[in-house]
Amino acid sequence: MRAHPQHATTPRHPAAPWRWAAAGALLGALLSTVVYAPARWLAQGLAQASDARVQLRQAQGTVWQGSAQLVLGAGSGSQAHTALPGRVQWQLRPSLRGLQLALQAPCCLKQDWVWTATPGFTGVQLVLSDQPAAQPSVWPSALLAGLGTPWNTLQLQGALALSTQQLTLLWHSGDWSLAGRAQLDATGLSSSLSTLKPMGSYRLGLTGGPSPTLDLSTLEGSLRLSGSGRWVGGQLRFEGEASAAPERADALGNLLNIIGRREGARSIIKVG
């Protein structure tokens, strides 16, 4: 019998150790970048997304936990800006529903303000934790001056008390929708355009739905404001009016000329 020749086989060698080391180093660097991403990255992203209208200056910490000074501006290229007193702190962490952001602002918030973002196939849902009317967040109205015209002209002084109830924003197929309610009480307002201090206190109510509505009313004061509006096709259409108590007409005349179109003793306010 003739013996069949044995075919030589090439032995298999395990992957070179340097490949595993390189892969481990790359994975470690990636995880380190994600975990320890500096807070300034978040500040840069927020500034770009808002066209410099919302800024986090002197940011410290990481994207996931840090602090900064909150500044409102009128947009890129504008010199108008106003800073919130003190610093704001944040904690960003994954949750079963998506991402959860907890904001702390000792100057203005009595409790953490929690925002939960839940992504979906066609959009994202953003839910804000309730801020009851009995414990609203209170912000200085002077902060609005940083947004530019007309706020930098009005130079408002007073307090803005914000409360929310089941407020939910939904970004779906390129459009925003709103559910829930928000209420903003502006108390003890005064302006550099009037010698009357204070001018009054006012309430702005926002109600969600297919076409969210906005209502303005006067709580007290010599300057009387009222109006209502509705978001149609993503744009606000608002109509209102301003007037002065007869005995305060002279003190408020200049302000009435600026905030709307004069029709006798009234100023007509129209947006959209």
Side-chain angles (χ1 to χ4, degrees):
M1 294 179 62
R2 178 183 295 178
H4 294 284
Q6 296 291 327
H7 295 284
T9 59
T10 303
R12 295 183 180 180
H13 296 286
W18 68 266
R19 294 182 180 177
W20 289 108
L26 181 61
L27 180 59
L30 180 61
L31 290 175
S32 178
T33 300
V34 171
V35 174
Y36 298 105
R40 67 175 183 275
W41 290 6
L42 178 63
Q44 292 169 357
L46 183 60
Q48 291 177 0
S50 65
D51 192 28
R53 287 179 171 83
V54 182
Q55 303 175 42
L56 295 175
R57 296 189 178 179
Q58 301 176 1
Q60 299 176 357
T62 69
V63 167
W64 306 99
Q65 184 170 349
S67 68
Q69 185 176 46
L70 177 65
V71 175
L72 296 186
S76 57
S78 173
Q79 298 300 315
H81 61 269
T82 308
L84 189 71
R87 296 174 66 85
V88 297
Q89 296 87 38
W90 69 82
Q91 289 183 338
L92 181 63
R93 53 185 178 269
S95 70
L96 294 177
R97 300 179 59 185
L99 278 177
Q100 190 174 84
L101 173 65
L103 294 177
Q104 300 172 349
C107 70
C108 310
L109 291 171
K110 297 180 180 179
Q111 58 187 8
D112 288 2
W113 197 5
V114 181
W115 301 43
T116 303
T118 304
F121 291 107
T122 59
V124 62
Q125 179 179 267
L126 185 63
V127 180
L128 281 65
S129 61
D130 287 354
Q131 296 188 76
Q135 290 185 317
S137 58
V138 181
W139 310 84
S141 61
L143 188 65
L144 297 175
L147 297 178
T149 306
W151 307 109
N152 57 350
T153 301
L154 294 173
Q155 291 291 326
L156 295 177
Q157 298 292 327
L160 304 176
L162 176 65
S163 59
T164 60
Q165 182 180 9
Q166 298 179 346
L167 196 62
T168 303
L169 297 172
L170 178 64
W171 176 258
H172 178 75
S173 300
D175 291 322
W176 281 105
S177 61
L178 175 72
R181 291 180 54 84
Q183 179 177 290
L184 182 67
D185 286 351
T187 58
L189 285 190
S190 61
S191 169
S192 61
L193 300 179
S194 174
T195 58
L196 182 62
K197 301 182 185 300
M199 301 179 300
S201 298
Y202 311 92
R203 175 167 293 169
L204 196 62
L206 175 64
T207 303
S211 296
T213 60
L214 193 66
D215 294 292
L216 173 64
S217 60
T218 299
L219 299 176
E220 61 177 1
S222 299
L223 177 65
R224 299 162 182 171
L225 301 175
S226 63
S228 61
R230 183 180 298 272
W231 267 269
V232 179
Q235 294 185 338
L236 174 63
R237 296 180 181 177
F238 180 88
E239 293 186 359
E241 66 176 54
S243 62
E247 68 275 12
R248 299 296 188 181
D250 291 340
L252 294 170
N254 186 40
L255 181 61
L256 291 175
N257 289 335
I258 292 176
I259 64 177
R261 186 184 75 254
R262 287 301 291 266
E263 287 188 2
R266 302 182 305 161
S267 285
I268 306 301
I269 304 170
K270 190 171 182 179
V271 177

